[in-house]
Amino acid sequence: MAEQPAGPVLDDQVCFALYAASRAVTALYRPLLDDLGLTYPQYLVLLALWERDELTVKDLGRALQLDSGTLSPLLKRLEKLELVRRERRSDDERSVLVTLTAKGDDLRAKAVPLPGLVGDAMGLDGAGLDELRTTLRELTDSVNAYRAALPQ
Amino acid sequence: MAEQPAGPVLDDQVCFALYAASRAVTALYRPLLDDLGLTYPQYLVLLALWERDELTVKDLGRALQLDSGTLSPLLKRLEKLELVRRERRSDDERSVLVTLTAKGDDLRAKAVPLPGLVGDAMGLDGAGLDELRTTLRELTDSVNAYRAALPQ
DNA sequence: CATAACTGAGTTGTGCGCAATTTAATTTGG
DNA sequence: CCAAATTAAATTGCGCACAACTCAGTTATG
């Protein structure tokens, strides 16, 4: 019998592998996004807006799984960078519509090469990436369903 | 031909799937760790210490891929909770040895059920978890090698 | 129509992550 | 042996994440 620590082991944990992988990928994006003057979460917000201009803070929160406590200050910074505009909806003054400025729209072209570069660095072929993305999405859905079932 | 946004799409990105999965798993751990009075990164530090007491800050940084800017204040909080002790090494006063207190050691027993619970919530069987962990570790290594090759 | 319930943003406070800098201790080279 | 280079922690500053709370606007109900 091998020695066996009387508890969980760091390197056995899928949760740690996820945590480490996520931070490694973000760290790879960092110098690339620096050239665009963006952080990684800001880049994700712009990804959502490039896909469809005119999203409310609530829409962005649903797409990125982030709440207003994270998004409100982040969007203020993007507004200060003149990449997005924020305005209350006239038909429902509770909602804030976020739209791209011309400057924000222009940034899209500079972002096009990023996913390819990062995909290469991951050391997986197209099929491997597809499979990993599918597995991760199923895992996320499963975990979130489990979470929703737990609390009061 | 379907419409195609002239740029990267959020839901196509493996990087976003990683980011979302990592946060979902951390969020599942949160209420469980609340019962132990720990945050997720604090739990990771204790995982490393349960495996082998007596690690320097540098050792912990290597194991968790975190720098002293993150670890120093985190370890101070663990010390204030009386879960770890910190002391300079007598043979090299630059290094700080982190060791478990009895209270920190006792917490291990309460942490034993956590990985099983979280594994269940992920909706993967043992083989699926093994494969995912292997894929993620290879991805992390590949990305970090790529990063090391880039800068000055 | 009044008021209670709900909804969407924003604010506050805490704890990461990480770059950049500082300080002290050790090692190396001349 | 001493100055320069290296190393290990700690500190500072910024931007997330997220819980808890506030506030204004909207909807539902009696």
Side-chain angles (χ1 to χ4, degrees), chain B residues 19 23 30 56-58 68-69 72 76 86 94-96:
Chain B
Y19 167 80
R23 285 193 302 118
R30 189 167 298 116
T56 64
V57 174
K58 177 130 180 97
S68 67
S72 287
K76 278 190 179 179
R86 296 186 309 140
R94 289 173 304 182
S95 295
V96 168

Side-chain angles (χ1 to χ4, degrees), chain B residues 35-107:
Chain B
D35 294 343
L36 312 192
L38 295 174
T39 66
Y40 182 69
Q42 289 168 7
Y43 167 69
L44 294 180
V45 166
L46 289 185
L47 273 185
L49 287 170
W50 288 330
E51 212 169 323
R52 179 158 109 63
D53 200 355
E54 292 248 330
L55 291 171
T56 64
V57 174
K58 177 130 180 97
D59 293 333
L60 283 168
R62 192 165 29 241
L64 304 179
Q65 305 284 6
L66 293 170
D67 69 5
S68 67
T70 300
L71 287 174
S72 287
L74 187 156
L75 291 168
K76 278 190 179 179
R77 284 186 283 271
L78 286 181
E79 190 177 40
K80 185 166 284 179
L81 292 170
E82 294 176 17
L83 298 175
V84 307
R85 251 183 304 273
R86 296 186 309 140
E87 45 194 340
R88 295 264 163 197
R89 268 172 58 167
S90 53
D91 61 328
D92 186 343
E93 295 273 346
R94 289 173 304 182
S95 295
V96 168
L97 263 180
V98 182
T99 53
L100 289 166
T101 62
K103 200 170 161 188
D105 197 58
D106 289 348
L107 216 51

Side-chain angles (χ1 to χ4, degrees), chain A residues 19 23 56 58 68 72 76 86:
Chain A
Y19 168 79
R23 285 192 301 116
T56 65
K58 175 125 182 104
S68 68
S72 288
K76 278 190 179 179
R86 297 185 310 141

Side-chain angles (χ1 to χ4, degrees), chain A residues 68-106:
Chain A
S68 68
T70 300
L71 286 174
S72 288
L74 187 157
L75 291 168
K76 278 190 179 179
R77 285 186 283 271
L78 286 181
E79 190 178 40
K80 186 166 286 179
L81 292 170
E82 294 176 19
L83 297 174
V84 307
R85 251 184 305 273
R86 297 185 310 141
E87 47 194 337
R88 296 264 163 197
R89 269 172 57 168
S90 53
D91 61 329
D92 185 344
E93 295 273 346
R94 290 172 303 182
S95 296
V96 168
L97 262 181
V98 182
T99 53
L100 289 166
T101 62
K103 200 169 161 188
D105 197 59
D106 289 348

